[in-house]
Amino acid sequence: MVVGQSDSLQAAVALATKVGSSRAATVLVCGETGTGKELFARGIHACSTHSNDPFVAINCAAIPESLLESELFGHERGAFTDARAMKRGLLEVAGRGTIFLDEIGELPLKLQPKLLRILEQRTFRRVGGSVELPIAARVIAGTNVSLSDAVDSGAFREDLFYRLSVVRLDLPPLRERSGDVELLARHFLRDLARESDGVPATLSADALAALCTHTWPGNVRELKNVIERAVIVAGGKTIQRQHLLFQRRRSVQADVDVECGTVIRIPPGGKTLDEIESEAIQATLALTHGNLSATARILGISRPTLGRKLRSAGLERRMVVSSQ
Ligand SMILES: Nc1ncnc2c1ncn2[C@@H]1O[C@H](COP(=O)(O)OP(=O)(O)OP(=O)(O)O)[C@@H](O)[C@H]1O
Ligand SMILES: [Mg+2]
């Protein structure tokens, strides 16, 4: 459920509803982290005439380049050494439903012409296959980086950018719609109460004022986390200003709390280098609000290396969301 009454959010809802019920095959959803891109992608799917078909999501940044192609397009038996059986890709799994290509800006350059061809011809081939298969699914792409900047830097093909941007949904950051903060906070309080079969916690005037003046770099996800935490800390009583911990943000990747400006502490028993590395990665992810490119840049490693480290530490983001 999309909550918010600001003009900019309502305009996005109106466009998403139109797009959902139209035949428009491709949509680009742009917005900072936590602004609701996946929520809107699911909303567009839910408004469509094929809402009973699958919604599948794939994060282009979280899957190694070597696997992404067969994840998307599937492969024929024997297409490569480990391909012992034919596998359907997510484009096929989505059927007549929706495929959400999240963090499209991270789609490797090698796969970009392939995606463009697919969007134009509405057919594709499995890896190692020769038969052209039709695509029935709607493609929604999401990005939290400026794709036009990526075009300028040569990381993203201009033709694919134009093809994807035909219908473009821009989700406003929360700091530009502070009027929605209270509505969202109360919505999350009701949700939390429903989960625990209780009554929604109330907000003191001080707490509400603090929520309304915060700049929300992590947008709605950050607000949701702040509220969730405040409910626990307040222990069922009215949420006061001191229950709102803006300095601490929950890392998107790891389900742990990391304090911005974290100092890595070495206990008397010592720590392994792997543990220290994992803490440094989590702290940097918290600083960047889960932005993988920015995290890799700060840590001075490549995106694929960061992806490998996240996987080996068990910190990778959920990569594929299976059908609803
Ligand atoms: N307008 C809204 N109303 C209610 N809940 C919202 C709204 N916008 C976002 N949320 C909630 O905030 C959280 C983050 O939303 P979502 O995952 O869709 O963001 P995102 O833009 O995909 O973020 P990221 O770029 O980090 O992947 C989700 O729990 C979502 O349900
Ligand atoms: Mg998302």
Side-chain angles (χ1 to χ4, degrees):
M1 178 189 179
V2 176
V3 174
Q5 281 182 347
S6 55
D7 291 347
S8 53
L9 190 83
Q10 281 304 318
V13 170
L15 182 57
T17 314
K18 265 192 214 148
V19 169
S21 53
S22 79
R23 306 280 305 152
T26 322
V27 188
L28 178 65
V29 186
C30 308
E32 290 177 12
T33 185
T35 46
K37 294 181 294 295
E38 182 157 347
L39 185 70
F40 270 78
R42 286 179 181 277
I44 292 171
H45 173 74
C47 294
S48 75
T49 44
H50 295 293
S51 56
N52 290 330
D53 290 277
F55 174 94
V56 291
I58 181 165
N59 186 327
C60 301
I63 298 189
E65 186 171 340
S66 55
L67 293 182
L68 191 56
E69 190 171 5
S70 77
E71 278 297 321
L72 281 173
F73 311 124
H75 59 71
E76 295 293 348
R77 183 170 166 220
F80 43 86
T81 321
D82 289 334
R84 293 200 190 87
M86 183 281 278
K87 185 184 157 219
R88 295 191 315 148
L90 292 177
L91 272 174
E92 258 183 283
V93 172
R96 300 196 313 163
T98 303
I99 179 162
F100 178 45
L101 305 176
D102 205 0
E103 298 208 35
I104 191 75
E106 300 295 337
L107 187 72
L109 269 170
K110 200 184 101 197
L111 291 183
Q112 292 180 18
K114 208 163 176 176
L115 179 63
L116 179 65
R117 195 182 138 268
I118 284 168
L119 293 176
E120 293 194 326
Q121 301 187 353
R122 305 292 301 164
T123 61
F124 74 105
R125 279 185 225 150
R126 295 189 193 120
V127 176
S130 52
V131 182
E132 291 283 339
L133 300 163
I135 294 181
R138 185 205 295 268
V139 176
I140 303 183
T143 182
N144 57 17
V145 296
S146 157
L147 276 193
S148 52
D149 285 356
V151 169
D152 290 344
S153 71
F156 205 80
R157 286 179 66 117
E158 196 169 12
D159 45 11
L160 180 57
F161 168 67
Y162 287 124
R163 183 66 191 76
L164 287 171
S165 326
V166 174
V167 179
R168 176 177 164 157
L169 202 62
D170 284 295
L171 300 184
L174 192 51
R175 66 182 167 281
E176 287 173 14
R177 47 188 174 104
S178 51
D180 286 346
V181 171
E182 182 175 353
L183 279 177
L184 282 160
R186 297 201 187 284
H187 163 74
F188 293 132
L189 288 172
R190 274 194 304 276
D191 259 9
L192 289 166
R194 202 170 305 127
E195 276 168 25
S196 60
D197 285 331
V199 282
T202 49
L203 284 165
S204 72
D206 262 14
L208 186 56
L211 289 173
C212 294
T213 48
H214 185 58
T215 52
W216 302 111
N219 293 294
V220 184
R221 180 182 292 107
E222 184 189 354
L223 172 60
K224 192 175 176 183
N225 291 340
V226 166
I227 294 289
E228 210 173 311
R229 175 175 215 106
V231 166
I232 296 167
V233 180
K237 303 204 183 77
T238 298
I239 294 171
Q240 306 290 345
R241 168 67 187 88
Q242 70 267 24
H243 297 138
L244 303 172
L245 299 176
F246 297 117
Q247 297 308 306
R248 294 171 63 84
R249 306 204 200 293
R250 200 153 87 174
S251 154
V252 176
Q253 269 70 20
D255 210 21
V256 295
D257 288 316
V258 179
E259 194 166 359
C260 286
T262 296
V263 175
I264 293 176
R265 294 181 203 287
I266 311 291
K271 250 181 200 170
T272 67
L273 208 49
D274 278 351
E275 285 168 337
I276 294 170
E277 183 177 276
S278 159
E279 282 181 36
I281 292 174
Q282 288 179 57
T284 314
L285 281 168
L287 274 180
T288 63
H289 308 292
N291 183 320
L292 296 177
S293 303
T295 301
R297 222 173 11 253
I298 292 170
L299 292 170
I301 55 178
S302 70
R303 277 292 308 271
T305 303
L306 175 63
R308 259 195 315 279
K309 288 181 185 297
L310 287 171
R311 269 187 300 283
S312 71
L315 296 173
E316 84 268 48
R317 212 190 271 221
R318 194 177 33 144
M319 293 197 289
V320 175
V321 181
S322 56
S323 44
Q324 269 184 333

